[in-house]
Every structure is written in C-alpha cells, then in structure tokens.
C-alpha cells in the first residue's frame, strides 16, 4: 500500500523557522511529482512548492526566497525548510504525490494523488 507521512509542524514566532518532512512508501519519486500544499481555515488549498521527478522545483510567489524544498532519494523523503515565517504562513501543510488527476481546489482530493495526513504550522506575530 502507498503511504505518505508528514512530520515537523509546530508553533513559532514570526521570523522563526520550521522544517517539514514527508516520507513515502510503496511508491517512488519516479511515479509522480511531489507537492507541498497548505490550507488555512476558510481558504482554498494553496500550492506551496512542486518538485518534478527530474528534481526541478517551482515555488509559489509568496514563499519564494523563504522556503526551500529538497529531496533525499535514498530515504524517499522530501523536506520543506521554511525560514522567515510570517503569520500568513499559518495553515495545515500537506504533502502529496501527484498521479495526474485534478486537484479541484481541494486538499486531500484522492483524485489528485496520494496525500499525507497534514501537519499544522502556526506562526504568531
């Protein structure tokens, strides 16, 4: 069975840092692009970053220069290093392996691919 598991969320003050980790099993990075999404209460599911199977990374404009996505192929783990956090970064963060389906604006949409359970990030001012 395919599993996706995130960890590393928490609470920090503005300007602080957190590192999120996402480990996959039962599947490999060659099977689809890896994504980090986030969703705050009342907001739509928002793409944070995307790593293609060839390692190319795209970031949302509002995290560019502050967040860094990386990958450890041996551990089947992707990381999201988040620096200079701001209160607007507060959300539940999800890791997903895309399988070519549509997101439909919904985090945890199974049609999109395989999702982790999410991890809460809270940034206080």
């Amino acid at each position: 069975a395919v599993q996706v598991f995130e960890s590393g969320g928490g609470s920090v003050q503005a300007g602080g840092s957190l590192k999120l980790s996402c480990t996959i099993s039962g599947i490999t990075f060659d099977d689809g692009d890896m994504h980090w999404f986030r969703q705050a209460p009342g907001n739509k599911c928002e793409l944070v970053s995307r790593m293609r199977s060839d390692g190319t990374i795209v970031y949302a404009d509002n995290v560019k220069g502050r967040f860094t996505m990386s990958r450890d192929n041996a551990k089947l783990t992707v990381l999201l290093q988040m620096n200079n956090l701001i209160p607007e970064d507060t959300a539940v963060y999800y890791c997903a392996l895309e399988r070519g389906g549509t997101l439909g604006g919904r985090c945890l949409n199974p049609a999109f691919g395989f999702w982790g359970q999410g991890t809460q990030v809270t940034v206080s001012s």
Side-chain angles (χ1 to χ4, degrees):
V2 175
Q3 291 186 313
V4 179
F5 180 78
E6 304 111 337
S7 62
S11 297
V12 295
Q13 290 191 323
S17 298
L18 284 172
K19 179 183 283 188
L20 305 183
S21 178
C22 171
T23 300
I24 62 174
S25 64
I27 203 163
T28 73
F29 294 136
D30 290 335
D31 292 307
D33 295 353
M34 293 297 302
H35 300 251
W36 285 100
F37 289 95
R38 66 186 183 187
Q39 188 164 25
N43 290 3
K44 66 178 182 181
C45 187
E46 177 187 21
L47 176 68
V48 175
S49 62
R50 172 181 184 172
M51 180 184 285
R52 300 187 183 276
S53 56
D54 65 2
T56 305
I57 304 172
V58 175
Y59 296 97
D61 287 342
N62 56 3
V63 306
K64 209 173 288 184
R66 300 188 297 121
F67 290 12
T68 303
M69 186 175 184
S70 61
R71 184 173 76 187
D72 185 329
N73 292 326
K75 296 181 179 179
L76 291 179
T77 297
V78 291
L79 302 172
L80 186 68
Q81 176 67 47
M82 305 184 294
N83 297 328
N84 195 20
L85 285 160
I86 59 178
E88 290 76 12
D89 294 320
T90 295
V92 178
Y93 284 68
Y94 299 94
C95 176
L97 190 151
E98 181 183 354
R99 294 293 286 162
T102 58
L103 180 65
R106 291 193 295 129
C107 286
L108 297 175
N109 186 351
F112 180 79
F114 301 104
W115 295 82
Q117 79 287 358
T119 185
Q120 177 71 45
V121 171
T122 303
V123 184
S124 58
S125 56

